[in-house]
Amino acid sequence: MRPVDELRDRLHAARRRAEIAGARADVLAQARAVVPELPRDADAGHLERAARRLVRRAAQDEFAREGITRIPVPEATGRAELRRADLASDAAFHAVVEDVLSAVEIVPSPLESDDAVALRDARASSDAYGLSPEVASDLASYLLGRAFLLRDEERDLDAYLDRHERQIREDMRSALVRLVRVPLELRSARERHHRIASGLAPDPAGTAHGAGTGAGTAGGAGSGASGAGAAAREALSQRARSAMDHARAEAGRAALGALRSGAGRAFERYGRGDDGGDVRGGEARSRDERGAADRARKQRMGGQQAGEHRTAEQTVHDPRSD
């Protein structure tokens, strides 16, 4: 092969690698716009797990929203009482589970990045409990579609989504069964339902789960103060994301470089002395110099006073003055 042809092949391969890296970074940025807690170096596995968590959390929120009132939950939610009640085998509980699962449909998503963010933040997408199962299903489909683009070994999107839909349904069923068997989880869901149904603000645990998905209580049934707080937090998050985007841009990197060089020059000028000493050495030298200047000034003043005294004596004893 001629050197020119070899060089051309290398350039083509490098260009292809750059295009692939840019495409993967763009896909990851779209996913992080919907789920900001995703790591910056996330891969397809991170997106798939985020989609499962999103729908599983929505299933738990739906149980706190409606399931608590539809199944015969015992007043005492201890482990022994729940074991005797056996809520997992109750027909009413099975009806609740099937209703929640019927809202989940993982299909190829037509959403773009800004559409997914708008859907997540819409007032009709969530309430004080959290995201609805339908919206969580749509966002999970969006995330799985982006994860499919990151998996080079996958070729069939429909088969990929079908496989994950079965896993997501199994995760939801397991989470709901665990919720009616573990006393702490059932007690937490029950308290959330009572607080929100009474018009109180959601508990901190519910607020944290809502903030994790980006929904919060901004579109929910909370008070006006809680909605304003959620709006302020969202505005702060938007400003932080804008600052990070600016810092990653070319102009931001240049500005940060200028700040670093300016700080270095300021440290060299004010933080160290002429002989390379530190600030304390410079302060000590400054004190010594001030002391020497004071002593010299006092000596000059003393000399002037002595001269004036001698002049006065000569004036008194001058024979020409007789």
Side-chain angles (χ1 to χ4, degrees):
M1 178 181 295
R2 293 182 302 175
V4 175
D5 296 335
E6 184 179 357
L7 180 60
R8 185 183 296 111
D9 293 341
R10 289 182 180 180
L11 290 176
H12 179 73
R15 188 182 301 111
R16 180 60 179 166
R17 286 194 299 269
E19 291 175 353
I20 293 174
R24 292 178 69 88
D26 183 61
V27 169
L28 184 57
Q30 294 174 6
R32 293 188 73 250
V34 179
V35 186
E37 62 267 21
L38 283 172
R40 299 187 184 278
D41 57 347
D43 54 13
H46 288 89
L47 273 64
E48 293 166 356
R49 291 190 295 273
R52 294 201 300 268
R53 285 195 302 270
L54 197 65
V55 183
R56 184 168 61 246
R57 182 67 233 176
Q60 295 170 342
D61 293 338
E62 181 68 12
F63 183 85
R65 185 184 291 115
E66 296 184 0
I68 288 292
T69 59
R70 292 174 55 184
I71 64 173
V73 180
E75 289 297 328
T77 54
R79 194 173 299 276
E81 290 81 8
L82 292 179
R83 189 181 300 112
R84 286 193 296 267
D86 194 13
L87 298 179
S89 62
D90 192 274
F93 174 75
H94 283 288
V96 171
V97 173
E98 294 303 322
D99 286 346
V100 175
L101 292 179
S102 65
V104 176
E105 186 179 9
I106 306 299
V107 295
S109 177
L111 298 176
E112 296 294 336
S113 177
D114 53 348
D115 298 328
V117 173
L119 176 64
R120 182 200 64 189
D121 296 336
R123 294 180 61 87
S125 298
S126 62
D127 56 7
Y129 293 93
L131 288 175
S132 68
E134 293 83 1
V135 173
S137 174
D138 293 339
L139 295 178
S141 299
Y142 173 82
L143 291 175
L144 290 174
R146 296 304 179 270
F148 175 80
L149 297 176
L150 297 178
R151 288 202 177 277
D152 299 332
E153 69 276 9
E154 295 289 345
R155 293 294 182 268
D156 190 347
L157 177 60
D158 292 333
Y160 175 81
L161 294 179
D162 289 342
R163 185 169 67 252
H164 281 282
E165 182 178 10
R166 290 193 298 270
Q167 185 174 5
I168 284 174
R169 288 177 177 273
E170 198 61 35
D171 288 348
M172 294 174 64
R173 192 185 301 274
S174 300
L176 292 176
V177 170
R178 175 184 170 86
L179 196 148
V180 297
R181 285 181 176 172
V182 178
L184 294 178
E185 295 187 17
L186 181 57
R187 191 177 303 127
S188 175
R190 195 172 190 172
E191 291 175 356
R192 284 185 66 198
H193 176 79
H194 288 334
R195 287 181 62 86
I196 296 173
S198 302
L200 301 175
D203 58 333
T207 303
H209 287 306
T213 60
T217 59
S223 62
S226 63
R233 288 193 299 271
E234 181 65 23
L236 180 61
S237 177
Q238 290 287 350
R239 289 197 296 270
R241 284 198 293 268
S242 299
M244 289 301 298
D245 293 339
H246 177 70
R248 288 196 297 268
E250 187 67 28
R253 288 196 295 270
L256 289 176
L259 287 175
R260 282 197 297 269
S261 61
R265 288 194 296 270
F267 179 75
E268 289 295 332
R269 181 174 181 180
Y270 299 106
R272 295 186 178 276
D274 296 335
D275 57 349
D278 58 2
V279 177
R280 290 176 295 181
E283 293 178 353
R285 287 194 300 273
S286 298
R287 288 195 297 269
D288 294 340
E289 292 173 357
R290 287 196 298 270
D294 292 339
R295 288 192 297 271
R297 187 168 57 254
K298 289 178 180 179
Q299 291 175 358
R300 288 195 300 270
M301 292 176 63
Q304 291 176 359
Q305 291 176 358
E308 292 174 356
H309 183 67
R310 286 194 299 270
T311 303
E313 289 179 349
Q314 291 175 0
T315 303
V316 171
H317 298 289
D318 192 354
R320 291 178 295 178
S321 62
D322 296 335

